[in-house]
Amino acid sequence: MNVVVVNNFDRMSEEAAKLMVAQIRSKPNSVLGLATGSTPLGVYRLLAEYHQRGVDFSSVTTFNLDEYVGLAPAHPQSYRHYMEENLFSKVNVRKENTHVPSGTAPDLQAECERYEQAIRQVGGIDLQLLGIGSNAHIGFNEPGTPFGSTTQVVDLTESTIKDNARFFASPDEVPTQAVSMGIKSIMRAKNIVLIAYGGSKAEAIYAALRGPVTPKVPASVLQLHPSVTFVVDQAAGSKL
Ligand code: GLP
């Protein structure tokens, strides 16, 4: 695993954006796995700037990691809405090539299978961007999620609901479930870039990189992947 410790959020965003742009330049029809949360916001801002300077997303396909159960695409806190706002509307990716699981499908189980199938159909993910939860979750795969899991409906832990409450008017409004790509779906990506900043992620980064590989620490599974880069700022890397 490559571990890159940089000075701050902006440098973390630059490093990750550079890796993503290199991927698109080397394979214009790349399949990108995308993440949400506060951490990738700088990366998406830079990708929009790269697009202004000529990087072409017209053949790119994207798959997001997850979506809240019960939030329609137009809901301001839905991950589909986040992606439209922060990236899709700023680059020339084709709408039909952007995929976010549906959190409102009438049959969520069928939706999970459809999503896995859609990833397979395009030949899998070339580069997966990941954030990390303060409890080391990746996507919405909370501690204890089996490593063999594929896209599924998951229950969010109290700590994740609390972490994400800042985006909602009150903690009661945070959905308690999500549709998330599984650990196995993530591990099938050819390359993975995990980004993290801030002291609240230091413990999770330490456990993921230096601790035992265990479902109790979902991100620790990345130690088993052949091509992973962690890009963390000094605060997130402070326990390494
Ligand atoms: C959510 C997302 C994760 C993300 C995590 C961290 O739970 N499902 O994919 O990595 O939040 O969010 P943040 O970047 O805001 O710390």
Side-chain angles (χ1 to χ4, degrees):
M1 277 192 306
N2 289 328
V3 182
V4 183
V5 182
V6 295
N7 278 337
N8 54 39
F9 177 84
D10 288 343
R11 292 283 304 119
M12 174 201 78
S13 305
E14 281 163 25
E15 285 299 320
K18 262 194 253 168
L19 291 169
M20 295 181 79
V21 166
Q23 171 66 47
I24 296 169
R25 284 191 171 132
S26 75
K27 184 186 173 196
N29 63 343
S30 285
V31 181
L32 302 178
L34 300 177
T36 50
S38 55
T39 313
L41 286 172
V43 179
Y44 295 150
R45 190 169 22 81
L46 289 169
L47 289 181
E49 281 177 30
Y50 273 109
H51 171 62
Q52 294 292 320
R53 285 184 268 128
V55 174
D56 180 18
F57 287 73
S58 65
S59 303
V60 166
T61 297
T62 67
F63 284 91
N64 266 77
L65 286 164
D66 45 19
E67 180 59 283
Y68 286 116
V69 167
L71 298 196
H75 189 288
Q77 301 307 335
S78 79
Y79 286 163
R80 164 58 77 173
H81 186 264
Y82 168 107
M83 291 309 303
E84 295 291 343
E85 284 275 300
N86 293 302
L87 184 66
F88 298 158
S89 62
K90 311 250 159 90
V91 297
N92 65 334
V93 67
R94 288 166 199 260
K95 174 111 183 173
E96 63 271 27
N97 290 349
T98 66
H99 304 269
V100 180
S102 167
T104 52
D107 182 346
L108 287 174
Q109 189 47 45
E111 170 63 7
C112 295
E113 283 156 26
R114 184 197 67 78
Y115 205 68
E116 283 291 323
Q117 175 65 21
I119 298 173
R120 260 199 306 275
Q121 240 162 30
V122 296
I125 291 169
D126 293 304
L127 191 158
Q128 175 69 56
L129 180 67
L130 291 178
I132 187 168
S134 57
N135 63 3
H137 74 228
I138 47 178
F140 264 134
N141 296 290
E142 300 281 26
T145 306
F147 285 169
S149 55
T150 54
T151 303
Q152 58 179 348
V153 177
V154 297
D155 294 325
L156 306 184
T157 61
E158 280 304 317
S159 77
T160 296
I161 291 171
K162 215 170 114 220
D163 282 354
N164 290 356
R166 65 187 192 279
F167 300 111
F168 292 82
S170 83
D172 300 347
E173 283 181 28
V174 187
T176 56
Q177 289 189 310
V179 175
S180 178
M181 274 168 58
I183 300 280
K184 193 171 172 185
S185 335
I186 292 170
M187 288 293 279
R188 283 190 191 124
K190 295 172 190 89
N191 303 284
I192 297 178
V193 176
L194 185 145
I195 51 177
Y197 77 99
S200 66
K201 301 291 173 70
E203 197 64 57
I205 289 296
Y206 176 81
L209 284 168
R210 303 281 186 256
V213 176
T214 164
K216 288 184 199 152
V217 180
S220 68
V221 75
L222 300 174
Q223 294 179 32
L224 306 177
H225 193 282
S227 176
V228 180
T229 303
F230 275 59
V231 185
V232 304
D233 79 342
Q234 274 169 353
S238 59
K239 292 199 185 334
L240 294 175

